[in-house]
Amino acid sequence: MATWQLELQPPPREPRALELWLQHAAGRILLEDVRAYAVEKLDKKLTAKARAVAEQAIDDALYGVMMVLDGVTGAISNAEQQVELSVQVKLIQKSNRQVIAQQDIMAGDEMCMGYHGWLEGDYGEIPVAKYKLEAGAE
């Protein structure tokens, strides 16, 4: 399922809860728009064993991305300089594009730790998103 099929839920107001909620939202985006996309692209004719190996490879690759986002890996440096990636997760007011809240992923509570829960569908205590109802469904 892609994130366009989800409806964002109201964010918490308490600052610490909002930080965690934003991190879970980032995880939900990555799991839905990266992992689920890659799994969907797998050949439907794969054996169960081949599918399991392919899904593990997808999970390992995405975990590698999480390590880069956390700053565990992903920096190229010399004695004087360093290049690293920085990714922001932002809560934006759609009507005027105003940033309501934002957080640098590297400054968060570790995407690598959250990843294992996200694989199990755990996106925190305060819901980030719910599935949009299909037309005509209740």
Side-chain angles (χ1 to χ4, degrees), residues 12-21 23 103 107-109:
R13 294 181 184 206
E14 192 273 317
R16 177 65 180 144
L18 180 57
E19 285 178 15
L20 292 173
W21 186 87
Q23 292 171 60
Q103 180 177 356
D109 281 16

Side-chain angles (χ1 to χ4, degrees), residues 57-68:
I58 291 167
D59 289 345
D60 290 344
L62 190 51
Y63 190 78
V65 170
M66 299 296 175
M67 288 191 299
V68 170

Side-chain angles (χ1 to χ4, degrees), residues 39-72:
V39 168
E40 183 180 302
K41 291 295 184 182
L42 293 176
D43 189 330
K44 305 296 184 234
K45 297 176 187 172
L46 288 175
T47 66
K49 184 175 181 177
R51 174 169 288 281
V53 169
E55 287 184 15
Q56 185 62 55
I58 291 167
D59 289 345
D60 290 344
L62 190 51
Y63 190 78
V65 170
M66 299 296 175
M67 288 191 299
V68 170
L69 296 178
D70 276 345
V72 174

